[in-house]
Amino acid sequence: MERKELLKDLDQQVKNDLENYFKDRDYGVIAVTKEDALRAFVVRTTNLCEVARLKHKLSPIAAAVLGRALAGALLLTSLLKHGTNQRLLLRIEGDGPIGLVVAEANAKGEVRGFVENPNVETFVKEADGKKKFDIARAVGKGTLTVIKDFGFGKPYESSVPLVSGEIAEDIAYYLLKSEQIPSAVSLGVLVNEDGKVEVAGGFLAQPLPGATDKAIEKLEENVRKIPPITTLLKECKRPEDIVELIFDGFSPQLLALKELSFRCRCSKEIAKNSILMLPEEEIKELIKEGGVSIKCNFCGTEYFFSAKELEEILQEKKQGDN
């Protein structure tokens, strides 16, 4: 569903309509408050995280890390013009065993990503008497970089140190330091014992210019009281239900909807272009070997080029160099 200017009160009829339309699909809800200048963006990303897990054959903690990054990138598309081809890339470079983590999302709700080490072993920690994934240990210390491509000129790039490695806190720190937007960010991925993603999602809540101190204090109080996002999703809470919790004491209005999906823009033509960039001698070696497979980092799809296809690419390269 393309973004629609809604500004509808989030009443029971609207909630019923959302449930009937989206059912179990992934989607996001952007809402504001009628009384003050507050905004929230809540996403359910269970299906797309499971698609990513299967495509990359992720270990449980790798699925949790990438799932958080994918949801985080989608939340950051609030910095883009909705419904356009504008996109941003979230890159987490830590010294932990999972290595590089990359997630790219566009303003239409399409996201893709990967981790450097998809088979990283699972680290757990005790929190509130429960065992949880130790995401910070898997990610480590390093930097978070956001690259925004508005479709014109040079992409805008900004980096901040990782303050926790938990990803949500790191994105909140980025928004404060690089965008000067104080924000509350929550991300979560719950993985079953069989490795399947059970629920995943996140939310972003922030004051807009003109928000009163009283409204900001109430928003902060609400966010502190909200259970973990995975707990809410497991209880079958939908994005619009979570909006109501974030805006408890206010009158939430629906501003926009966005259907979300894991989608990669790779193709055999793009893979072919990467071969064209190789020196002629390397292409000749690949021909001798009988062909080559080019794998997309973002989705794991492999494109095979036979010796005959490589010979055609080599001829195309020679003609282009003349």
Side-chain angles (χ1 to χ4, degrees), residues 37-282:
L38 304 176
R39 177 175 68 170
F41 186 8
V42 184
V43 297
R44 184 177 67 187
T45 56
T46 304
N47 299 320
L48 68 86
C49 286
E50 175 64 4
V51 169
R53 181 188 75 86
L54 292 172
K55 283 183 176 292
H56 293 298
K57 300 179 176 61
L58 301 173
S59 68
I61 196 168
V65 171
L66 182 57
R68 289 190 184 195
L70 294 172
L74 286 166
L75 291 175
L76 285 174
T77 60
S78 59
L79 301 171
L80 308 177
K81 185 175 180 181
H82 291 280
T84 67
N85 288 319
Q86 292 182 0
R87 63 182 189 270
L88 62 79
L89 185 138
L90 174 68
R91 187 172 68 228
I92 300 169
E93 297 172 279
D95 60 4
I98 202 162
L100 178 67
V101 181
V102 176
E104 183 192 67
N106 64 26
K108 292 181 178 179
E110 298 166 342
V111 68
R112 61 181 186 166
F114 66 92
V115 296
E116 187 175 0
N117 181 7
N119 300 311
V120 65
E121 66 177 294
T122 296
F123 303 107
V124 295
K125 63 179 181 180
E126 290 282 342
D128 301 323
K130 297 180 180 179
K131 288 186 176 181
K132 296 183 178 181
F133 287 137
D134 193 344
I135 303 295
R137 183 177 172 188
V139 172
K141 298 179 180 179
T143 59
L144 179 150
T145 301
V146 176
I147 303 171
K148 291 179 286 186
D149 185 353
F150 297 112
F152 51 85
K154 186 178 179 181
Y156 174 79
E157 180 174 334
S158 180
S159 297
V160 295
L162 291 172
V163 292
S164 75
E166 292 284 345
I167 303 180
E169 293 93 331
D170 301 306
I171 289 175
Y173 185 71
Y174 161 80
L175 286 167
L176 180 63
K177 292 298 181 180
S178 294
E179 305 289 339
Q180 288 75 55
I181 307 173
S183 309
V185 181
S186 176
L187 301 169
V189 180
L190 181 63
V191 181
N192 285 336
E193 290 184 6
D194 62 1
K196 183 179 180 181
V197 174
E198 183 175 351
V199 294
F203 71 74
L204 168 67
Q206 54 196 194
L208 297 170
T212 63
D213 290 341
K214 185 177 180 180
I216 294 172
E217 288 174 9
K218 178 59 176 172
L219 178 64
E220 291 174 344
E221 178 188 334
N222 289 348
V223 169
R224 281 196 298 269
K225 292 190 300 184
I226 292 176
I229 187 75
T230 50
T231 299
L232 295 172
L233 292 169
K234 193 174 180 182
E235 293 174 351
C236 298
K237 293 286 193 295
R238 303 177 68 84
E240 56 272 19
D241 299 321
I242 299 170
V243 163
E244 289 184 319
L245 294 175
I246 295 170
F247 288 154
D248 181 38
F250 299 96
S251 302
Q253 290 186 304
L254 204 56
L255 176 64
L257 302 173
K258 189 179 292 186
E259 187 158 356
L260 310 174
S261 63
F262 187 101
R263 186 167 184 268
C264 191
R265 301 188 313 276
C266 72
S267 66
K268 192 164 185 176
E269 186 65 25
I270 292 174
K272 172 188 166 184
N273 290 337
S274 68
I275 298 174
L276 275 168
M277 296 173 65
L278 297 174
E280 288 186 16
E281 289 305 314
E282 285 192 33

